[in-house]
Amino acid sequence: MEFKGYRESIQIYDAQGNPIDTWVEVRVHPITGEIARVINVPIRSLEPPNLEKMARETREACPFCPEHLYKKTPAFDPSWLPGGMLKRSKAVLIPNRFPYDRYCALIILSDRHYVPLEAWEAREIFDGLSLAQDFLRRVVGHDPAAQAFSLNWNYAPHAGSSILHPHMQLSVGRFATNRARRLLMASQNGMLEGQDLFAEMLEEERVIRERWCGMLGSWHQLFAFAPRGRFFELTLINETPGCFSELEETQIQALSEGVVRGLRFVSAMGFSSMNLSLFSPLREAGMFHPMASISPRACVGPYQMSDISFQMLIDEFFALFLPEEIAARYRETVRGNSDA
Ligand SMILES: [Zn+2]
């Protein structure tokens, strides 16, 4: 597999007529063909919000804290989900009161109102992902029209979360999200040509070792060649094709450990917010390899400038970090990679 990147060397002149040399690198996503740009712009001071203060101010009225959880929350139809919700250890799955798909759930990950990014335990992520698997299996058994799902996490307000108490969002319905559909269709088209595109990409990344950061169980730790988001995109991609809902317990444990490492790295890089998305078919895997993607989010400077600009309208992202440099930082920061 070829990684296509085009570096444009650009010369402009300052007000005194002296040359200024700069560059932009246009990169093509090896599976979807989406373009991302890595730009040569210095990072201005990030101003992480004071989440400790927010935690103190929002704790009392929090609908997801234990004293409110079962008094205020709705329930799913018990005819297909006995009890109307799912629980596992301290994780709880409930309906989203404001659904954006046929089945729309929130997975409250912890009874802790605020968990700093660097303080997550893999066991907590594991419980949440296990609930998601359980829910998906039940919907698949209950509703033959359900064809796709989306599992996402907005961590803290700068990543789009209105409630600080940690919760993932899981939706199931007839249509995959735009990005999931691009990934799924590319994988499907590759399969029709006799190719496993994810395997080809992983093999090449593993050989050149520019963005690949080792295995964690069955998961490749890899920084996206053509990242989405303003900073970087850390992906965890399963070694073999499959559906997320059918992954084994040991695979979910390793994925949870990978997510925790990713969150710690995001924190170590000076961020306090991130988005996480998980991509997988709901029913038939074909040649699709389950993939989790983590991207930091931040507002910048005294006026809280958003890290997403007109990029949302053109569906193209300008990253401030070279993925290869971030991968080197990750390898230095994260210890214990089994095969790095
Ligand atoms: Zn809470």
Side-chain angles (χ1 to χ4, degrees), residues 196-231:
D196 179 340
L197 293 179
F198 278 93
E200 288 180 22
M201 179 182 76
L202 293 170
E203 190 179 323
E204 183 65 16
E205 290 281 18
R206 191 173 185 152
V207 168
I208 59 179
R209 292 190 180 230
E210 291 179 345
R211 294 164 293 275
W212 187 80
C213 297
M215 300 291 297
L216 195 54
S218 64
W219 299 85
H220 292 258
Q221 304 168 96
L222 175 68
F223 282 86
F225 173 74
R228 290 180 79 89
R230 189 65 157 178
F231 306 103

Side-chain angles (χ1 to χ4, degrees), residues 19-298:
I20 300 171
D21 292 314
T22 185
W23 54 267
V24 61
E25 195 162 314
V26 180
R27 294 183 170 203
V28 182
H29 192 287
I31 290 181
T32 62
E34 295 163 310
I35 281 176
R37 291 161 199 265
V38 182
I39 61 173
N40 182 20
V41 174
I43 293 180
R44 287 190 268 174
S45 65
L46 301 173
E47 297 215 350
N50 187 337
L51 296 181
E52 297 280 356
K53 177 171 178 282
M54 184 183 178
R56 286 193 300 274
E57 291 171 357
T58 57
R59 167 71 182 81
E60 198 172 329
C62 175
F64 300 158
C65 269
E67 66 268 30
H68 293 141
L69 184 55
Y70 300 109
K71 293 176 193 153
K72 293 186 179 176
T73 48
F76 285 103
D77 183 346
S79 69
W80 68 271
L81 190 72
M85 57 180 66
L86 294 171
K87 295 178 200 169
R88 182 183 175 109
S89 186
K90 290 173 178 170
V92 186
L93 182 149
I94 59 172
N96 188 331
R97 174 67 185 79
F98 305 103
Y100 50 86
D101 212 337
R102 184 181 288 189
Y103 305 92
C104 206
L106 300 175
I107 301 171
I108 297 150
L109 291 166
S110 173
D111 59 1
R112 295 190 277 170
H113 180 62
Y114 168 53
V115 185
L117 272 181
E118 64 280 6
W120 281 94
E121 294 175 17
R123 178 186 46 80
E124 295 170 297
I125 306 296
F126 173 81
D127 287 335
L129 294 177
S130 298
L131 282 186
Q133 282 188 305
D134 189 357
F135 186 75
L136 292 174
R137 289 190 204 117
R138 288 169 192 263
V139 173
V140 164
H142 159 71
D143 185 349
Q147 292 296 329
F149 78 96
S150 188
L151 178 62
N152 303 286
W153 189 2
N154 300 324
Y155 181 97
H158 284 183
S161 180
S162 59
I163 295 176
L164 186 61
H165 197 123
H167 60 285
M168 290 184 183
Q169 310 206 21
L170 174 61
S171 60
V172 195
R174 289 187 290 168
F175 306 105
T177 65
N178 284 326
R179 194 184 190 201
R181 199 167 56 249
R182 286 181 209 134
L183 287 162
L184 291 159
M185 287 180 70
S187 168
Q188 175 80 11
N189 290 337
M191 186 174 74
L192 295 175
E193 300 290 325
Q195 291 178 286
D196 179 340
L197 293 179
F198 278 93
E200 288 180 22
M201 179 182 76
L202 293 170
E203 190 179 323
E204 183 65 16
E205 290 281 18
R206 191 173 185 152
V207 168
I208 59 179
R209 292 190 180 230
E210 291 179 345
R211 294 164 293 275
W212 187 80
C213 297
M215 300 291 297
L216 195 54
S218 64
W219 299 85
H220 292 258
Q221 304 168 96
L222 175 68
F223 282 86
F225 173 74
R228 290 180 79 89
R230 189 65 157 178
F231 306 103
F232 57 84
E233 183 184 357
L234 170 61
T235 57
L236 297 157
I237 306 178
N238 199 44
E239 169 77 359
T240 52
C243 288
F244 164 73
S245 61
E246 291 162 10
L247 292 175
E248 294 175 4
E249 196 172 303
T250 52
Q251 292 176 298
I252 298 295
Q253 282 167 343
L255 173 61
S256 304
E257 180 59 38
V259 168
V260 165
R261 284 187 188 187
L263 300 184
R264 286 187 191 142
F265 180 67
V266 167
S267 174
M269 291 294 290
F271 298 96
S272 67
S273 301
M274 66 91 215
N275 289 119
L276 179 152
S277 292
L278 188 137
F279 300 95
S280 160
L282 180 64
R283 293 176 186 271
E284 292 181 23
M287 286 293 132
F288 197 94
H289 297 232
M291 173 176 111
S293 182
I294 295 173
S295 187
R297 298 293 309 278

